[in-house]
Amino acid sequence: MNETPTTVASALTLSGITKTYPGVTALDAVSVDIAAGRVHAVLGENGAGKSTLVGIAAGSVVPDSGTIGLAGREFDRIRPAEAREAGLAIVYQIPALAPSLSVVDAVLLLLPESKRPSRRSAAAWVTAHFERLSLTIDPHALVSSLSLREAHLVEIAAALASDPRVLVLDEPTEALGPEETAWLFGQVRGLLEKGVAIVYITHRIPEVMEIGDDLTVLRDGRVVGRGLVADFTADQVVELIVGRSLETTFPDKPAAPAAEAIPALEVLELSGPGYDNVSFSVYPGQIIGLAGVEGNGQRRVLRGIAGGGSTSGRVLVNGREISARSRRSAASAGVVFLPGDRIGEAMFGKMSIRENAVAGALRAAMPGGFVRRSREYELTREGVAGLAVKTPHFEVPVSALSGGNQQKVLLARGRLGNPKVLLVEDPTQGVDAGARVDIYAFLRELAASGVAVVVLSTDAVELEGLCDRVVVFSRGRVQATLVGDDVDERAITGAAVLSHETAAVEVAKNTRRRSRGILAGETQAVVLLGLAVALSIVTSFVSSAFLSPLSISQLLAATSVLIFVGLAQLVVVMTGGIDLSIGSVTALSAVILSFFAQQGLGFFLIGVVLALAAGAAVGWINGLLVTRLSLPPVIATLVSSIAVLGVAQVLRPSPGGSARPDVLTTLGLAVAGVPLILALAVAVAVAMWFVIQRTRGGRALRAAGSDPVKANRMGVRVPRTRLLASVTAGLLAALAGLAVYSRSGIGDANAAQALTLTSVTAVVIAGASIFGGSGSALAVAAAGLLLQTVTSALAFLSLGLSWQYWLQGAFVLFAAVVPLVVALVRRGRSPGVRGG
């Protein structure tokens, strides 16, 4: 076969790339040369090494050996941020967008520094960029609210905005419909005219034949073929990929059912959010396809049949009606739904193949409720029979499998669920050519056994080859029903795109536009401040002394302690961890200060510096234990907490170290009744809020906490971010020690242990996600004020200390329940949107 013309300059060169994982060689001395102004397709089955190869080029994977040539430089390894600055942009198969970020923040983080607009103009810049690309996605929407298709479009838009020299597209059309795919190909052709090199990874051979110039085929981590696309037929490409000839891709279709046959599934005038008056039926032995431009209701219909919220209509299984609003009713009638988002929605990623396969047949696998491992193995072998799952054993975590093998395990679960109706969403998304043959045969075999199979797919060729009948949707309604010889790619695509009822690529918009003021999104802080004020007013009616200057001054000074420890916990929680050493560090800081406060103000300042250094050192150790030794944060910080407390108790076996009067006077300074220590705490909270919400470091912090893998692909140095968060937490805990000492004037190693739990309470009440990725420093400061107001009010209300814990528990419950209620209300108020 001819090679790429030598007169074309290389834009990206990968030479001798080798990458191994425990027991697996992902890449074995692979070399690929990507030419400028050409589309280079990298092909292979799942697990062949394609994604590993481009991950190495993009910097998200570190090679064992080999070199990367990019922008005239040669690298042994490259970081994601370096690759982006050198002109390489990548669109991953699973979008690398951290869920907790807004679309604006995600786009900014994906852009190289040299292409990034200012934060002030970012929203307008992103909006204008989306308009140029004919995308109407809300820049202020959270990534977590986007569909998979919309997330792909955002990542593609960010890649185009980076003005790349090399654009890597990893399965870019898997989540896109025909119109979006045509749009993407138009963008690719525009880039080729500018001399941009395109690396195109796909399982869809027709796409390669349409836009590809060069190709490299990988099998088992090695190059098995390369050359010009024009020199290969589609069948030859498939044969290179799978290592064998595919005599047939799709199994034979059965004869049409007899006129008197009873449908296995009947959908009668089904309506719900995004679809209306949908009717069709499936006879035993048939496979029905749902098609249409993405976003026209077909996905919602599929989930509606599974009991996902239809508002009217009927669903019958073998003549028996089931509830269209109950997933339990559907499941008990034998309806099995297999979502397209395998790891995100359908499977338990960290659990084994065995555990995932039998999850739909627990009664059969565990008679009497007790685990029988031999029975589980028997069922798993039965489930995967004929599916050729590539694995050394059934105890491998399902997340370690390729996409095709994950899909096969999911189908095995569906089979073991003894379905009467099988609903399959995107059965071959991200699946290689060889695995597709196995999946098609499996679905046809299952249908032949009497199961009603309904398949949703965006691939018209797949629907033509697999389905006996295809129902085409437009704007939530059935546009056409194709039967027999009418089921072909042209008719399916034509019925979808020639309809006057086409869907737009957009995110559902709220009826009321959200305010984007400087403090937008700080509702939690306002509510908490309101509760603190309300409690203060109620307490003042019982005892007017509560609002006396002395009482308020003491309350505010004590609040500073809670603000500092809450902020310390927040910065760690936002990375997805927790810090159990905060109370101990606070105590150690106060103890250190107690040795210097006796010598005068000058020496006390030295003590402050040493206390801060001690806090930073403990945070640094915590960070190293988590990032370098991979210890769980709860274990790492528990160990350090015990050690730090021990040091503090050795230094101060008993309370002591009274401060000199001049030091106490300085620490107790107030302006207009507001202690300076509180002013410092509030200033730190405001500064933290600004950093978290308005800086690249804050975006990195939120991204690292919400999804570290995606954050790494976005260019965030996740271990360094977590280490810096731990050091910051140590510094803030040391400042809390300064606040504690300013109130007591003595060093006591045991005086601050309860503050660790209080810090967690403040973070939870402030609405931060305990799983990482989100949180507000201003809300934490407000939570600190509320908690201290509760504590201070108890004495004036003549209530016991137990009430403090009751009220704190009530506030925690309130903080946990309110967001759920708000989400339910918004979901109920949102208008029916077009969607699939």
Side-chain angles (χ1 to χ4, degrees):
M1 299 296 176
N2 294 330
E3 298 294 330
T4 303
T6 56
T7 55
V8 180
S10 295
L12 172 66
T13 304
L14 302 168
S15 303
I17 300 294
T18 297
K19 178 64 180 179
T20 59
Y21 296 100
V24 178
T25 299
L27 294 170
D28 185 5
V30 171
S31 297
V32 180
D33 189 63
I34 310 298
R38 297 174 68 84
V39 176
H40 194 123
V42 179
L43 306 171
E45 293 186 278
N46 285 327
K50 308 182 302 298
S51 295
T52 301
L53 185 68
V54 298
I56 288 171
S60 60
V61 178
V62 179
D64 297 333
S65 61
T67 59
I68 304 161
L70 180 63
R73 297 175 58 193
E74 189 171 281
F75 304 85
D76 293 328
R77 62 161 296 183
I78 191 170
R79 298 187 184 278
E82 292 175 326
R84 294 183 194 280
E85 287 294 341
L88 186 145
I90 183 167
V91 176
Y92 287 97
Q93 180 178 359
I94 299 176
L97 305 176
S100 66
L101 297 180
S102 68
V103 170
V104 170
D105 284 337
V107 170
L108 292 182
L109 204 54
L110 287 170
L111 291 176
E113 189 74 37
S114 58
K115 305 293 183 181
R116 192 175 297 133
S118 68
R119 187 64 182 83
R120 182 181 299 274
S121 63
W125 185 90
V126 172
T127 300
H129 178 60
F130 283 179
E131 288 177 351
R132 285 192 295 272
L133 297 176
S134 301
L135 303 178
T136 55
I137 297 173
D138 181 6
H140 301 299
L142 287 178
V143 169
S144 58
S145 70
L146 302 180
S147 68
L148 181 61
R149 174 176 59 99
E150 291 158 349
H152 269 287
L153 292 171
V154 168
E155 192 169 47
I156 291 169
L160 296 175
S162 68
D163 193 21
R165 296 186 183 92
V166 180
L167 175 61
V168 180
L169 299 172
D170 189 356
E171 302 287 358
T173 64
E174 285 295 330
L176 303 182
E179 287 188 341
E180 292 87 7
T181 298
W183 168 84
L184 174 62
F185 285 1
Q187 300 296 327
V188 167
R189 294 185 181 100
L191 292 175
L192 293 176
E193 293 176 359
K194 299 177 182 178
V196 176
I198 308 292
V199 181
Y200 198 83
I201 299 173
T202 185
H203 293 305
R204 300 187 177 190
I205 306 304
E207 294 180 356
V208 175
M209 308 308 291
E210 179 180 350
I211 66 167
D213 297 306
D214 313 305
L215 63 80
T216 296
V217 180
L218 299 177
R219 191 188 315 142
D220 297 326
R222 296 181 177 89
V223 176
V224 295
R226 69 172 90 236
L228 301 177
V229 172
D231 290 338
F232 293 88
T233 66
D235 288 341
Q236 288 173 328
V237 174
V238 172
E239 188 171 347
L240 271 177
I241 291 172
V242 300
R244 57 188 171 87
S245 176
L246 295 180
E247 296 292 333
T248 177
T249 301
F250 298 101
D252 294 332
K253 297 180 182 181
E260 65 275 10
I262 299 175
L265 170 69
E266 288 182 274
V267 179
L268 303 175
E269 299 179 347
L270 197 66
S271 298
Y275 57 96
D276 181 56
N277 198 30
V278 173
S279 298
F280 62 86
S281 58
V282 189
Y283 288 88
Q286 283 191 328
I287 300 177
I288 301 299
L290 304 186
V293 174
E294 187 66 39
N296 275 267
Q298 58 269 36
R299 293 189 187 275
R300 292 176 181 262
V301 168
L302 194 72
R303 291 169 183 257
I305 298 170
S310 296
T311 55
S312 64
R314 303 169 64 201
V315 177
L316 287 76
V317 176
N318 291 331
R320 177 187 172 190
E321 186 170 350
I322 65 174
S323 172
R325 296 189 178 188
S326 169
R327 294 185 185 276
R328 177 173 294 183
S329 173
S332 63
V335 178
V336 174
F337 171 58
L338 303 181
D341 185 1
R342 291 184 287 266
I343 293 298
E345 184 178 359
M347 311 188 80
F348 309 102
K350 295 183 180 180
M351 296 176 69
S352 67
I353 294 172
R354 167 183 55 81
E355 291 168 314
N356 274 277
V358 303
L362 292 180
R363 289 187 178 180
M366 303 177 185
F370 295 97
V371 174
R372 283 181 53 193
R373 187 64 59 88
S374 59
R375 177 60 176 159
E376 287 186 311
Y377 276 116
E378 179 184 343
L379 286 171
T380 303
R381 284 191 290 269
E382 178 185 329
V384 302
L387 283 169
V389 176
K390 296 179 181 178
T391 178
H393 50 78
F394 292 147
E395 296 307 307
V396 172
V398 75
S399 59
L401 300 179
S402 67
N405 285 307
Q406 288 175 359
Q407 185 67 27
K408 291 177 180 180
V409 173
L410 184 60
L411 290 169
R413 180 201 293 177
R415 170 193 274 170
L416 293 176
N418 192 27
K420 294 181 175 62
V421 176
L422 182 67
L423 311 175
V424 189
E425 190 176 55
D426 296 317
T428 60
Q429 180 171 291
V431 172
D432 59 69
R436 288 183 182 218
V437 176
D438 297 331
I439 291 172
Y440 295 149
F442 171 88
L443 292 174
R444 180 53 68 185
E445 177 189 343
L446 205 61
S449 69
V451 177
V453 179
V454 182
V455 172
L456 186 149
S457 175
T458 58
D459 188 341
V461 174
E462 178 172 271
L463 293 172
E464 174 188 350
L466 180 64
C467 298
D468 306 294
R469 191 147 32 103
V470 174
V471 180
V472 184
F473 285 78
S474 178
R475 284 207 169 189
R477 292 176 177 269
V478 174
Q479 173 69 19
T481 300
L482 308 175
V483 183
D485 293 339
D486 291 334
V487 178
D488 61 41
E489 179 187 8
R490 182 182 180 86
I492 294 169
T493 303
V497 303
L498 296 179
S499 167
H500 295 293
E501 298 180 305
T502 55
V505 181
E506 62 180 332
V507 178
K509 300 177 180 61
N510 293 328
T511 55
R512 291 181 297 179
R513 183 174 178 82
R514 289 182 297 153
S515 169
R516 300 309 305 173
I518 190 169
L519 294 179
E522 294 301 331
T523 304
Q524 191 86 354
V526 174
V527 170
L528 294 175
L529 284 174
L531 288 173
V533 171
L535 180 58
S536 298
I537 293 173
V538 170
T539 305
S540 68
F541 281 120
V542 176
S543 174
S544 60
F546 179 76
L547 294 181
S548 67
L550 178 61
S551 174
I552 293 298
S553 178
Q554 291 176 339
L555 184 155
L556 296 179
T559 297
S560 65
V561 177
L562 301 190
I563 292 176
F564 280 129
V565 295
L567 294 175
Q569 193 65 259
L570 174 68
V571 74
V572 176
V573 167
M574 288 190 67
T575 67
I578 192 170
D579 192 341
L580 300 182
S581 68
I582 285 174
S584 296
V585 173
T586 300
L588 177 62
S589 173
V591 166
I592 292 174
L593 292 171
S594 70
F595 285 98
F596 293 86
Q598 297 172 314
Q599 310 300 320
L601 191 58
F603 281 94
F604 181 75
L605 293 177
I606 296 175
V608 170
V609 173
L610 292 177
L612 292 174
V618 175
W620 182 69
I621 293 171
N622 286 338
L624 290 180
L625 291 174
V626 171
T627 60
R628 296 292 179 86
L629 299 184
S630 299
L631 286 179
V634 66
I635 294 177
T637 57
L638 178 61
V639 170
S640 65
S641 175
I642 295 171
V644 170
L645 179 60
V647 172
Q649 289 176 336
V650 168
L651 293 175
R652 283 287 182 201
S654 59
S658 299
R660 277 179 36 170
D662 58 332
V663 174
L664 284 176
T665 300
T666 302
L667 292 175
L669 285 176
V671 177
V674 178
L676 287 183
I677 192 67
L678 176 67
L680 175 62
V682 172
V684 170
V686 172
M688 275 190 62
W689 171 84
F690 181 83
V691 169
I692 292 170
Q693 300 296 332
R694 302 284 173 169
T695 68
R696 188 184 183 205
R699 289 195 294 270
L701 182 70
R702 286 181 279 140
S706 60
D707 193 317
V709 174
K710 291 180 178 178
N712 177 60
R713 290 178 172 179
M714 295 177 81
V716 176
R717 299 176 68 174
V718 176
R720 187 177 71 171
T721 300
R722 286 178 168 170
L723 180 61
L724 289 174
S726 291
V727 172
T728 302
L731 287 168
L732 291 168
L735 284 174
L738 173 62
V740 167
Y741 190 77
S742 71
R743 297 188 64 232
S744 64
I746 61 171
D748 185 353
N750 300 306
Q753 293 310 300
L755 291 177
T756 297
L757 180 58
T758 304
S759 70
V760 175
T761 304
V763 168
V764 172
I765 291 176
S769 170
I770 61 173
F771 301 107
S774 67
S776 166
L778 298 183
V780 167
L785 176 61
L786 175 60
L787 291 175
Q788 187 55 49
T789 302
V790 170
T791 302
S792 300
L794 291 178
F796 292 91
L797 296 174
S798 300
L799 296 175
L801 185 62
S802 60
W803 276 93
Q804 174 181 345
Y805 301 105
W806 280 106
L807 290 173
Q808 286 186 10
F811 287 133
V812 170
L813 184 62
F814 175 81
V817 170
V818 166
L820 298 178
V821 174
V822 170
L824 289 174
V825 170
R826 286 178 177 172
R827 188 181 306 171
R829 290 180 178 176
S830 61
V833 292
R834 301 184 301 263

